[in-house]
Amino acid sequence: MERFKKILLKVLKWAGISVASLLFLMFIIPILFPGTISAQVKIFANKHLAGKLDYKKTHLTFFRHFPSLTVSVDDFLLKGSRPFENDTLLAAREVSVGINLKNLIFDRQVKIDEIYVTDAYGNVFVNSKGEANYNVYVSKPSSQPKDTTATGTSVKLDFIKLKNWNITYRDHSAKVLVDAKGLNYTGKGGLSEDIFDLETDLEINKLDFSLNRIYYAKQKTLHADLITRINTNALTFVLRKNELRINDLPLKFNGFLSILKDGYNLDINAASEKTTIRDMISVLPPQYLDWAKETKIEGNSDLFFSLKGKFSEPKNLKPRLQARLLVSDGFISNAKAPVPMNNFNMDLHVDLPDLDTDQLGINFKTLGFDLGPNNNFRAVVKTKGLDEMQINADIKGAVDLYTLNQALGLKNIDVRGLLNTNIKANGIFSLDKKLFPKTNGTLNLRNGWLKTKYYPNPIKNINIAADIVNTDGTFKSLGVKLDPFKFDFEGNPVFVNADLQNFEDVLYKVRAKGVLNVGRIYQVFAKKGLDVSGLIMADLSLNGRQSYATTGQYSKLDNKGTLILKNIKATTASLPKSFYIKEGNFRFENEKMWFQKFSATYGKSDFALNGYLLNTINYFIERKGTLHGKFALNSNYILIDEFMALKNGDNKDQPIEVEYAKVENPKSSGVVIIPKNLDVALSLNARKVEFKGLNLNHIKGTASVEKGQVYLKKTSFDVIGSRMGIDARYQNESPLTANYDIALKVLDFDVQRAYREIDMIREMATAAKNVKGIVSIDYKLKGDLDKNMKPIYPSLEGGGIVNLRDVEVKNLKMLSAVGDNIGAKAFNDPDMKGVNIETHIKNNLIHVDKFTFKVSILRPTISGTTSFNGLLDLRIRVGILPGGIIGFPVVVTGTHEKPKVKIFSKKGQGILDALYNKKTNKVIRQERRAEKKTKRQQRRDKRVQEQKAKAAEQQIDKDLKEK
């Protein structure tokens, strides 16, 4: 026993010494090596990261991620790679790297084999051009063999742990959004090897996934147990063991993903077999999950999914998506239901080749359910395509909506009525080709009732009787009859009767009467508090044929009645804000829809319209219809800036290209987008129009909107104290670019005031800084506008005349330099009154025709070329008495700020013009000094440039006169 005690004491003694030594080393090692580790980690980061790295404080400890020795940094911030160097790629409360202790102690080398990132925000982004912000790691390939004896920092990862991440992945080129919150990730494997197996454990508290703005997952929980073989040489990921659980739905998948130079190559198959309908419902949007918890749901389901092919934006390649959903023996019942929904069966196939919705195939092989005897629904529907859709459908059912509502146990909604439907259709639907499936169908709803929790009163007495017939698959035999469609709301009955025949040339007979409180009826379907209100009052009788209006047979039309709108809020896809229609009184009279009294506001802008629209029936019947009209437009104030596409506003349903342009250009305003379905003439009368701080007052003239272009004709306005006349054309090319033609005349305006108040004058005519007095302009220009609706100067073409009616030009550097070189100080204050200067512009060069002025007894004549960036190539002939007949040549080169003068020389230094790509709106090459050439070559090049510039001016005249 005594011996045992001695042995035990020795064991405890040495164990204590070992523990104490270990603890001592854990404290002393961070003290011995902090400089080595901190310095080498910073060197490594600066050497291998293209994005800007920043952090506040560093730590070296065993205790943050015991037992690893870790270098930790607090408040870590990493910016993205170009062109996203100002955007955050990763921000984290703590980033730690594990250090290999053996290499540190014995070799004094820092080998990183573990990474820990805690409380982080990741922002991964790929723009519409396919440029990504995550290319921050810079590897420098070398033909030399690896030096295994080299010292320094290296990475050989075996372990990654991410804790409490929020990460967003947005790929605009693929129209994909992934937003993950509460992400926890553990990855194990030889991550530094060329080929290795990565073991992954992943949990996400809330996951959103959308494709082309359609959400396929919203606030889902996800757990993944994965083993992925990664080949870093080929950037290929082979999915070996992959088990997912999305909410309660298990999902297994396999396949591979390869990252290509310009996209991806993937072949992924997924399946969720032998699950239940309840498991499948768990992936529905969150608002439906509470309903599922309180409802008895039984039945089986199977889901199969595949995504195969290459994705490449430059090559326009996209993979094929296929899916199948099977539901069998479904049973859904609420405790209050008189009968359950049973025999719920569905077999749905989806096929989307090239992720192209025009090739979308949907096949409901089976869709049906029963609600007791004589109360059932059956459908077989097969479609292919979208714009041109092949349809084969057989839908039949008689459903008591109250019984259905009770069986499902739906909350917040009370729906009643007897719904009978019997529709058979087979053929092609195409608006462009005017094809419609052969159809025989009816839909009847009797004694309908709809009430929601959002509004205390129901929509009552809903009755719909609709018949649709097509006998030969064309629009000509298509007939739709609605007799009646009526309901009561808030004591106001509304009814519509419609009989439409022959959709190739629609014969219509429509009667509509009633009052709708838009704000209140909206509350029936949506939550209160949204800014929607107003009244619509209709009393219309429309009778006629579509072609009567287009062929001028107005006497055969019998359209009459009134439509009154009050306090209606409306949005249009092309504008960021809503229009607020204060009052709109419309009168229908045969072919015309008269705007008798119409007033509206848009942000700070106001409008009053009087006039009429033509072709309103065609516009609503045909998808590509164009509205024609003639109006007088009056306004007190119009702010053009708030019409620019990328400005902030309450319109949340703008086109996806506008949404992406906003994200990719957050500091840009975009350009004004013009609707393409309008052909409207306007008589303008506006007290004030403001554009980028420039005030245009008392605008009068005519305008027209046609096919996405705006034309101004014989329009005039007051600007900087002068009256300007203008003819112009404007057209947007995208949310970020536009083009224009403009011919303007302005008499007697103050040069200094123009220089102070107009940006374009300061940028185009820098010499105006040294000019005081009154000038007149007759000028024509065309060009492009950039993403802030500013002129792109290399795109400008045109020319014209500037008349210096009464001006003082003092201390212009170019003239002063000439005066200094010839000993004539009078060049500092030349007499240019009454001088006409004619110039022509193209490719960022301004070609100046000969003009003569007075300098004391001298008569200088100037011609040549200058550029918007200040380059000079001017010839001056300094004429002397008598009458300037005798003179000597001077050449001025250099720049406006640093002119170079040569006396008795005719040899200048040509300027090579800029190159501009009109399709991409990009400057390919800035103008620059030309290589030395002979005088003949220079004269030839100059003549070619001037001829092109004059031709551009003539083309502007032609373009404006055509309209």
Side-chain angles (χ1 to χ4, degrees):
M1 190 66 183
E2 191 67 26
R3 186 179 178 186
F4 176 74
K5 286 181 180 181
K6 288 181 179 181
I7 294 172
L8 181 60
L9 286 172
K10 284 184 178 181
V11 170
L12 292 174
K13 176 182 175 182
W14 286 108
I17 291 172
S18 299
V19 171
S21 300
L22 182 59
L23 290 173
F24 174 75
L25 286 173
M26 292 173 68
F27 280 104
I28 199 66
I29 287 175
I31 297 173
L32 292 175
F33 296 99
T36 300
I37 294 173
S38 181
Q40 291 194 24
V41 169
K42 282 188 176 181
I43 291 171
F44 177 83
N46 291 328
K47 184 178 179 181
H48 291 281
L49 293 179
K52 182 181 177 182
L53 174 66
D54 193 15
Y55 53 84
K56 284 189 176 180
K57 190 176 181 182
T58 61
H59 307 271
L60 181 61
T61 178
F62 278 99
F63 298 104
R64 284 202 172 186
H65 300 283
F66 184 82
S68 297
L69 173 63
T70 58
V71 178
S72 302
V73 297
D74 295 340
D75 298 331
F76 176 93
L77 180 64
L78 177 62
K79 299 287 188 178
S81 55
R82 289 186 178 184
F84 310 100
E85 57 268 31
N86 295 321
D87 299 331
T88 297
L89 174 61
L90 176 64
R93 182 178 61 82
E94 178 198 359
V95 175
S96 302
V97 293
I99 307 298
N100 186 296
L101 197 57
K102 173 181 172 294
N103 291 98
L104 179 65
I105 294 174
F106 296 105
D107 302 325
R108 297 188 68 84
Q109 294 178 0
V110 179
K111 300 291 186 183
I112 298 172
D113 56 10
E114 298 178 355
I115 289 182
Y116 304 84
V117 185
T118 305
D119 296 336
Y121 164 71
N123 175 37
V124 181
F125 180 60
V126 182
N127 67 16
S128 301
K129 300 175 184 177
E131 299 169 328
N133 70 339
Y134 52 77
N135 296 318
V136 294
Y137 183 78
V138 180
S139 60
K140 297 182 179 179
S142 173
S143 58
Q144 299 296 324
K146 292 182 179 179
D147 184 0
T148 57
T149 65
T151 61
T153 306
S154 64
V155 177
K156 190 174 182 180
L157 290 177
D158 295 311
F159 184 83
I160 297 176
K161 189 173 184 65
L162 311 179
K163 184 178 180 182
N164 192 27
W165 271 51
N166 294 330
I167 185 167
T168 302
Y169 172 79
R170 288 170 295 166
D171 189 335
H172 285 179
S173 62
K175 297 182 174 61
V176 169
L177 168 66
V178 179
D179 189 7
K181 292 181 172 63
L183 180 148
N184 294 282
Y185 171 89
T186 301
K188 300 177 183 179
L191 281 74
S192 59
E193 303 295 332
D194 292 339
I195 301 174
F196 62 93
D197 284 344
L198 176 65
E199 298 180 20
T200 297
D201 185 71
L202 173 67
E203 286 188 355
I204 300 175
N205 292 333
K206 292 181 179 179
L207 175 67
D208 295 348
F209 170 73
S210 73
L211 175 63
N212 200 14
R213 289 204 297 193
I214 299 173
Y215 276 90
Y216 295 91
K218 192 78 170 173
Q219 295 187 20
K220 302 302 166 197
T221 61
L222 183 144
H223 178 80
D225 183 9
L226 316 174
I227 297 178
T228 306
R229 173 152 292 180
I230 300 176
N231 185 334
T232 59
N233 293 321
L235 286 177
T236 300
F237 303 83
V238 180
L239 311 175
R240 301 184 68 190
K241 174 193 174 185
N242 299 281
E243 297 179 358
L244 285 179
R245 182 170 291 274
I246 305 173
N247 283 12
D248 297 326
L249 182 70
L251 189 67
K252 294 183 179 180
F253 59 94
N254 56 57
F256 71 86
L257 166 66
S258 295
I259 300 178
L260 308 176
K261 183 179 181 180
D262 57 358
Y264 317 98
N265 184 24
L266 42 81
D267 186 353
I268 297 175
N269 297 285
S272 180
E273 299 180 84
K274 298 180 181 178
T275 58
T276 67
I277 297 177
R278 180 174 289 278
D279 293 338
M280 192 68 65
I281 287 175
S282 73
V283 302
L284 290 175
Q287 59 265 35
Y288 299 105
L289 299 184
D290 288 339
W291 161 79
K293 290 177 183 177
E294 300 176 10
T295 304
K296 186 177 181 181
I297 302 172
E298 298 176 355
N300 303 313
S301 70
D302 296 279
L303 174 66
F304 304 92
F305 171 93
S306 71
L307 188 62
K308 184 176 182 179
K310 292 182 178 180
F311 174 85
S312 171
E313 188 71 20
K315 296 178 181 177
N316 196 28
L317 296 175
K318 292 183 180 178
R320 181 175 197 152
L321 184 150
Q322 292 180 298
R324 185 183 183 190
L325 175 61
L326 285 166
V327 176
S328 59
D329 301 324
F331 178 93
I332 302 174
S333 180
N334 185 268
K336 298 179 181 178
V339 294
M341 174 190 286
N342 54 35
N343 296 324
F344 176 46
N345 295 282
M346 179 171 63
D347 186 358
L348 168 64
H349 295 245
V350 177
D351 186 16
L352 188 58
D354 299 324
L355 295 181
D356 181 6
T357 53
D358 288 333
Q359 302 182 59
L360 174 64
I362 297 177
N363 187 0
F364 278 98
K365 288 189 173 182
T366 303
L367 176 62
F369 60 84
D370 294 332
L371 285 168
N374 303 319
N375 202 343
N376 52 59
F377 179 85
R378 298 287 185 272
V380 176
V381 179
K382 184 177 181 180
T383 69
K384 186 174 182 180
L386 200 62
D387 287 340
E388 185 172 316
M389 183 183 293
Q390 181 83 37
I391 299 174
N392 192 342
D394 187 354
I395 303 170
K396 189 173 184 179
V399 178
D400 185 330
L401 297 180
Y402 179 75
T403 303
L404 178 64
N405 185 73
Q406 293 294 100
L408 296 176
L410 298 179
K411 291 184 175 182
N412 306 326
I413 185 169
D414 181 6
V415 58
R416 304 176 187 180
L418 298 175
L419 177 66
N420 279 275
T421 180
N422 189 351
I423 300 173
K424 291 185 177 181
N426 189 7
I428 296 174
F429 174 74
S430 171
L431 288 173
D432 293 335
K433 296 181 179 179
K434 295 190 174 183
L435 299 175
F436 197 91
K438 293 181 181 179
T439 304
N440 189 357
T442 61
L443 186 147
N444 287 279
L445 174 63
R446 290 181 289 129
N447 301 321
W449 163 294
L450 177 63
K451 183 178 181 299
T452 69
K453 75 168 187 177
Y454 307 115
Y455 194 74
N457 299 323
I459 302 174
K460 300 186 294 185
N461 300 323
I462 306 171
N463 286 275
I464 303 173
D467 295 289
I468 180 169
V469 175
N470 186 289
T471 57
D472 64 5
T474 68
F475 268 28
K476 189 172 184 178
S477 70
L478 176 60
V480 177
K481 195 170 185 179
L482 198 63
D483 187 17
F485 168 46
K486 61 182 181 179
F487 61 88
D488 293 342
F489 182 63
E490 292 283 13
N492 293 315
V494 176
F495 77 89
V496 178
N497 290 334
D499 189 357
L500 310 176
Q501 303 292 329
N502 183 8
F503 277 66
E504 282 190 5
D505 181 14
V506 177
L507 180 65
Y508 57 88
K509 187 175 183 181
V510 179
R511 183 81 174 93
K513 188 173 184 178
V515 177
L516 277 181
N517 187 313
V518 178
R520 293 178 182 178
I521 203 166
Y522 188 86
Q523 290 176 25
V524 172
F525 300 97
K527 295 182 179 180
K528 297 180 181 180
L530 296 179
D531 185 18
V532 178
S533 60
L535 291 173
I536 299 178
M537 293 170 276
D539 187 358
L540 296 174
S541 176
L542 307 175
N543 294 276
R545 187 180 288 276
Q546 185 180 354
S547 61
Y548 290 166
T550 56
T551 57
Q553 301 179 68
Y554 302 132
S555 61
K556 294 183 179 181
L557 293 171
D558 185 18
N559 298 329
K560 57 188 176 182
T562 59
L563 179 66
I564 298 174
L565 308 180
K566 289 188 176 181
N567 300 327
I568 296 294
K569 183 180 176 183
T571 59
T572 178
S574 59
L575 295 174
K577 294 184 178 181
S578 299
F579 277 98
Y580 189 75
I581 303 173
K582 292 182 177 180
E583 185 174 8
N585 290 0
F586 306 98
R587 176 170 56 87
F588 289 80
E589 184 179 313
N590 292 336
E591 78 279 11
K592 295 178 180 177
M593 177 181 176
W594 287 93
F595 286 56
Q596 290 184 311
K597 190 175 182 182
F598 182 91
S599 61
T601 60
Y602 176 87
K604 297 178 181 178
S605 306
D606 64 84
F607 306 91
L609 286 173
N610 286 286
Y612 63 83
L613 282 176
L614 293 171
N615 201 40
T616 51
I617 302 298
N618 268 356
Y619 177 76
F620 291 109
I621 290 175
E622 291 189 355
R623 181 181 59 173
K624 294 183 179 179
T626 298
L627 282 172
H628 305 272
K630 187 174 183 180
F631 292 95
L633 187 154
N634 293 278
S635 174
N636 290 309
Y637 179 66
I638 299 174
L639 178 58
I640 293 177
D641 301 38
E642 61 187 0
F643 289 83
M644 297 177 190
L646 306 191
K647 286 284 189 176
N648 291 328
D650 60 345
N651 186 2
K652 306 302 180 185
D653 195 28
Q654 289 183 272
I656 194 167
E657 59 269 19
V658 174
E659 180 184 313
Y660 283 174
K662 278 185 178 181
V663 174
E664 295 176 18
N665 303 272
K667 296 181 181 180
S668 301
S669 63
V671 299
V672 178
I673 296 177
I674 307 301
K676 291 181 171 55
N677 58 351
L678 290 180
D679 180 8
V680 177
L682 297 167
S683 173
L684 293 176
N685 184 8
R687 286 184 59 189
K688 182 178 179 181
V689 174
E690 185 177 345
F691 174 59
K692 290 187 172 291
L694 179 64
N695 293 321
L696 312 177
N697 299 308
H698 306 297
I699 295 183
K700 293 183 181 294
T702 59
S704 60
V705 181
E706 182 181 356
K707 296 179 181 178
Q709 299 184 80
V710 174
Y711 294 87
L712 294 178
K713 279 286 187 183
K714 297 180 181 179
T715 301
S716 63
F717 50 83
D718 293 335
V719 60
I720 57 171
S722 302
R723 194 70 182 170
M724 180 180 287
I726 186 173
D727 286 358
R729 179 201 60 83
Y730 169 88
Q731 178 183 31
N732 69 283
E733 300 165 354
S734 74
L736 295 169
T737 56
N739 61 73
Y740 65 94
D741 299 333
I742 184 171
L744 59 90
K745 292 182 180 181
V746 56
L747 297 176
D748 302 341
F749 77 90
D750 187 312
V751 179
Q752 277 300 299
R753 185 174 173 185
Y755 185 84
R756 290 193 307 269
E757 298 182 18
I758 303 177
D759 292 342
M760 193 171 181
I761 296 292
R762 286 196 298 274
E763 294 168 357
M764 286 183 63
T766 55
K769 181 180 180 181
N770 302 102
V771 178
K772 293 182 180 180
I774 305 301
V775 304
S776 299
I777 292 179
D778 185 352
Y779 223 84
K780 301 177 181 68
L781 280 174
K782 71 176 180 179
D784 294 333
L785 298 172
D786 67 10
K787 59 187 178 182
N788 288 305
M789 215 162 171
K790 282 187 168 185
I792 302 174
Y793 289 103
S795 75
L796 291 179
E797 299 178 6
I801 297 174
V802 177
N803 173 257
L804 310 181
R805 190 173 72 82
D806 185 10
V807 301
E808 294 179 5
V809 180
K810 289 188 176 182
N811 301 317
L812 185 63
K813 288 186 178 181
M814 185 270 291
L815 293 178
S816 297
V818 174
D820 291 343
N821 277 269
I822 67 173
K825 291 185 178 180
F827 269 88
N828 291 328
D829 187 10
D831 181 5
M832 289 192 171
K833 292 181 181 179
V835 172
N836 285 337
I837 303 176
E838 184 171 355
T839 59
H840 308 279
I841 297 172
K842 189 173 176 66
N843 294 334
N844 226 37
L845 298 186
I846 305 167
H847 303 283
V848 184
D849 288 0
K850 288 182 180 180
F851 69 94
T852 303
F853 57 97
K854 297 179 182 179
V855 176
S856 185
I857 62 172
L858 305 177
R859 297 293 184 270
T861 299
I862 297 180
S863 64
T865 303
T866 181
S867 82
F868 285 116
N869 289 328
L871 298 179
L872 297 175
D873 182 28
L874 298 175
R875 275 80 172 162
I876 303 177
R877 181 185 180 277
V878 181
I880 57 179
L881 291 176
I885 295 175
I886 301 172
F888 59 89
V890 177
V891 168
V892 182
T893 57
T895 66
H896 283 297
E897 292 299 318
K898 294 182 179 180
K900 298 177 182 179
V901 178
K902 293 181 182 179
I903 305 173
F904 301 109
S905 174
K906 294 182 179 180
K907 186 177 180 181
Q909 188 177 3
I911 304 173
L912 189 66
D913 54 4
L915 290 182
Y916 177 75
N917 189 320
K918 291 184 178 181
K919 292 183 178 180
T920 61
N921 300 99
K922 296 293 183 183
V923 180
I924 301 171
R925 181 188 72 198
Q926 293 284 357
E927 74 275 16
R928 64 177 185 265
R929 287 293 178 191
E931 297 176 359
K932 291 186 177 181
K933 297 181 179 181
T934 65
K935 291 181 182 179
R936 177 180 292 181
Q937 287 174 321
Q938 289 192 38
R939 288 195 298 269
R940 185 188 304 143
D941 291 347
K942 184 180 176 182
R943 282 197 300 270
V944 171
Q945 289 177 347
E946 289 177 344
Q947 287 169 1
K948 288 181 178 179
K950 288 182 180 179
E953 182 183 348
Q954 293 169 358
Q955 186 63 41
I956 296 170
D957 268 338
K958 182 179 178 181
D959 292 343
L960 290 172
K961 286 176 181 177
E962 284 181 354
K963 181 57 186 174

